[in-house]
Amino acid sequence: MNKNYNQIYLKNKINTKIIGKELIIFDEIGSTNDFLKQNIDKYSEGAVVIAKSQTQGRGRLGNTWENSPNESLFMSILLKPNIKIDSLLRISLVCSLSILKALKKLNANMDIKIKWPNDILIEEKKICGILAECISKNSGHEDLILGIGINVNNKTFPNSISEKATSLFIENVHTTISDVIVLTLEQIEKDYFTYLQNKFLFFIDEYKKYCCNINKKVKIINSLSQKYGEIIDINEDGTLLFKDESGQLSTLFSSEVSVRGEFGYI
Ligand code: BT5
C-alpha cells in the first residue's frame, strides 16, 4: 500500500458511489471540519477532506484533538441526507459502528469497542474520535459533517493523553493511512445507504453489542454539574437512558455530556 497517498491513488482504490468522489487532500490545515464548514456550498454530498497534518483539531465540547503529522488520519465527510434535523446523533452512531467494522477487517481479533456516543476504544484506550456537526438550512433539513480522527501509525502520544490513547501500530496492526481511508469510506458508505433505507433501528442491536458502557457505573459530566449512576440502555433515537444514584431515570444527549467510567479513564 502507498504511504504517500494522493488524490489519484486514492480515487483509483476507493470503491464507492458518492463518498470520496470529491476528494480534497491537504498537507496541513487547521481543521478539516472547519474547512468543510467554511466551504460547504462548494461541495456535494460525499465530499471528503483529508489532512496529513491538522494544527487546530477539535473534539466535542471544546476539547482538542492532538496532531500527529503523517501518523494519524484526519478526515471529514460531508453528508446531505435530506432528512429531518434530529438524525445527526444516529448517523454519527452508525458512523462509529462503520469505523469499528472497517478496523476489524485489519484484525478480526482486536478487542475493539464503542464508548457512547462515538469514541472507538481498544482495551479501553481511544483509537478514534468522531466530531459530528450539522449545518442548518432553511428547508428544515441539515447538512452533516462527520469529522474522524484515527490513530494509525502513532508510536507515542503527548503526556496529557499517553495513558488513554492508542494507535493501530501500538496494537500491532501494521497498515497505512491510505488503507484505513479506503476501508473506512467504503464501510461508511455501505452503512449510510442502509441507514437512509432502514434508519437506526436496523443497527441498534449491533451498536449495543459493541457498546462498552451499557450496564456500567459512570460519571456524567456537563458544564454545570457531575452525577454518578448507571447507563441502562441506548434508546431507539440513539440517546442514553441513565439512572442516577437515587434511581431517577433520565435521557442523555451527546451534545451535553461527557460519560466517564466511575474509576478509570473511560
Ligand atoms: C472527539 O472528541 O473524540 C472527536 C475528535 C474528532 C477529531 C476529528 S479529526 C478530523 C476532524 N477535524 C477536527 O477538527 N476534528 C475532527 P472528544 O470526545 O471531545 O474527545 C477529545 C478528547 O480525546 C481530548 O480531550 C483528549 O482527552 C482525547 N484526545 C485528543 N487527541 C487524541 C488522540 N489523537 N487520540 C486519542 N485521544 C485523544
Side-chain angles (χ1 to χ4, degrees):
M1 259 289 178
N2 190 341
K3 285 191 175 166
N4 299 308
Y5 58 91
N6 60 31
Q7 239 186 20
I8 297 168
Y9 177 81
L10 284 175
K11 278 196 171 171
N12 283 328
K13 284 276 170 191
I14 301 167
N15 184 13
T16 52
K17 291 198 166 61
I18 57 163
I19 293 187
K21 290 290 151 200
E22 266 179 302
L23 195 58
I24 305 106
I25 302 177
F26 291 99
D27 284 337
E28 185 164 280
I29 199 170
S31 153
T32 54
N33 266 39
D34 289 346
F35 174 83
L36 257 186
K37 248 192 208 174
Q38 285 150 13
N39 295 281
I40 199 148
D41 293 330
K42 292 190 197 149
Y43 296 108
S44 357
E45 170 153 81
V48 172
V49 178
I50 294 171
K52 296 183 177 178
S53 168
Q54 182 179 249
T55 53
Q56 283 163 19
R58 293 186 292 111
R60 298 181 316 128
L61 309 166
N63 294 329
T64 300
W65 189 253
E66 299 290 344
N67 193 16
S68 180
N70 298 309
E71 291 185 331
S72 289
L73 169 60
F74 309 107
M75 169 166 88
S76 299
I77 305 172
L78 176 61
L79 297 178
K80 302 192 176 196
N82 209 21
I83 45 180
K84 282 253 179 82
I85 261 164
D86 62 354
S87 58
L88 176 72
L89 172 61
R90 292 186 294 280
I91 291 186
S92 77
L93 298 185
V94 172
C95 177
S96 340
L97 190 56
S98 306
I99 293 172
L100 178 144
K101 291 190 279 187
L103 297 182
K104 259 189 168 293
K105 287 187 181 154
L106 294 165
N107 177 355
N109 297 324
M110 266 192 296
D111 176 21
I112 184 161
K113 293 271 181 328
I114 302 171
K115 177 180 159 242
W116 183 92
N118 300 128
D119 288 352
I120 299 180
L121 312 175
I122 296 183
E123 296 190 358
E124 306 201 350
K125 292 187 172 189
K126 186 157 164 175
I127 193 155
C128 168
I130 299 174
L131 176 64
E133 298 186 291
C134 50
I135 314 292
S136 303
K137 294 191 295 192
N138 293 338
S139 57
H141 294 131
E142 293 191 335
D143 291 346
L144 310 181
I145 296 172
L146 294 175
I148 298 164
I150 305 179
N151 301 324
V152 180
N153 280 319
N154 314 56
K155 319 281 179 300
T156 56
F157 289 96
N159 286 343
S160 56
I161 57 166
S162 60
E163 303 271 300
K164 52 184 182 182
T166 191
S167 69
L168 288 169
F169 180 87
I170 291 170
E171 300 300 328
N172 288 317
V173 177
H174 300 291
T175 186
T176 57
I177 294 180
S178 55
D179 247 340
V180 175
I181 295 169
V182 174
L183 286 171
T184 51
L185 292 183
E186 288 178 355
Q187 188 67 48
I188 288 170
E189 177 170 287
K190 184 165 179 269
D191 292 337
Y192 176 59
F193 287 158
T194 305
Y195 175 87
L196 292 179
Q197 296 284 321
N198 301 289
K199 305 294 176 249
F200 183 56
L201 276 184
F202 184 89
F203 294 97
I204 195 164
D205 287 341
E206 197 180 14
Y207 183 91
K208 284 186 193 176
K209 175 176 147 199
Y210 288 112
C211 180
C212 67
N213 36 16
I214 299 178
N215 297 325
K216 293 276 163 54
K217 297 255 185 272
V218 293
K219 178 163 80 172
I220 303 296
I221 305 167
N222 69 21
S223 52
L224 300 172
S225 63
Q226 54 184 51
K227 266 189 200 169
Y228 289 90
E230 190 180 345
I231 303 298
I232 304 296
D233 205 357
I234 312 279
N235 297 313
E236 287 183 1
D237 63 359
T239 55
L240 267 194
L241 185 61
F242 171 72
K243 185 163 81 176
D244 71 16
E245 288 175 308
S246 70
Q248 190 169 354
L249 292 173
S250 57
T251 298
L252 303 181
F253 298 86
S254 68
S255 54
E256 294 169 354
V257 295
S258 171
V259 181
R260 305 267 173 87
E262 198 171 3
F263 304 111
Y265 287 106
I266 60 159

